[in-house]
Amino acid sequence: QVQLVESGGGLVQPGGSLRLSCAASGYIFSLYTMDWYRQGPGNQRELVASITTSGITNYADSVKGRFTVSRDNANDFVYLQMNSLKPEDTAVYYCNVYIRGVRYWGQGTQVTVSS
């Protein structure tokens, strides 16, 4: 079965950096676009970044220039490097894959940006 496991979240000061990881299993990782979403307090879940099978990336305007998504097809991982973090980046971050009409989610990892 499809499984996504996020890690790397934590508490960081404004201006700091974190690298999130997502380990994928149960499907052919290299064949699917991978997404990172986030859900902040009182907010709807929003798409943060995507990376296609060929490595084409797309970002929400709010994170462009600060976040970088990458993937390791040999080891079935997707990453989100987050720099210059702001308090408004505080959220639970989820990786996601859409396979044959079904959207699969991990359990999420909490990112808190606060001084």
Side-chain angles (χ1 to χ4, degrees), residues 24-85:
S25 61
Y27 67 102
I28 304 174
F29 178 80
S30 61
L31 296 184
Y32 295 91
T33 292
M34 294 298 298
D35 303 318
W36 282 99
Y37 282 75
R38 69 184 179 187
Q39 188 166 14
N43 296 333
Q44 290 187 330
R45 197 169 292 191
E46 62 172 347
L47 179 63
V48 174
S50 295
I51 184 165
T52 70
T53 57
S54 57
I56 297 171
T57 57
N58 190 43
Y59 299 93
D61 288 343
S62 58
V63 307
K64 277 181 184 174
R66 301 188 297 121
F67 289 13
T68 302
V69 59
S70 60
R71 66 189 298 159
D72 177 354
N73 286 339
N75 294 295
D76 297 356
F77 273 83
V78 61
Y79 303 101
L80 187 66
Q81 177 67 44
M82 306 186 295
N83 299 329
S84 302
L85 283 161

Side-chain angles (χ1 to χ4, degrees), residues 11-31:
L11 173 64
V12 62
Q13 292 188 341
S17 298
L18 282 175
R19 188 193 195 208
L20 306 184
S21 300
C22 174
S25 61
Y27 67 102
I28 304 174
F29 178 80
S30 61
L31 296 184

Side-chain angles (χ1 to χ4, degrees), residues 2 27 32 97-104:
V2 174
Y27 67 102
Y32 295 91
V97 63
Y98 185 74
I99 301 173
R100 291 190 291 275
V102 179
R103 196 167 284 283
Y104 295 90

Side-chain angles (χ1 to χ4, degrees), residues 88-107:
E88 51 264 42
D89 295 318
T90 294
V92 179
Y93 284 73
Y94 302 89
C95 65
N96 173 272
V97 63
Y98 185 74
I99 301 173
R100 291 190 291 275
V102 179
R103 196 167 284 283
Y104 295 90
W105 300 93
Q107 83 288 349

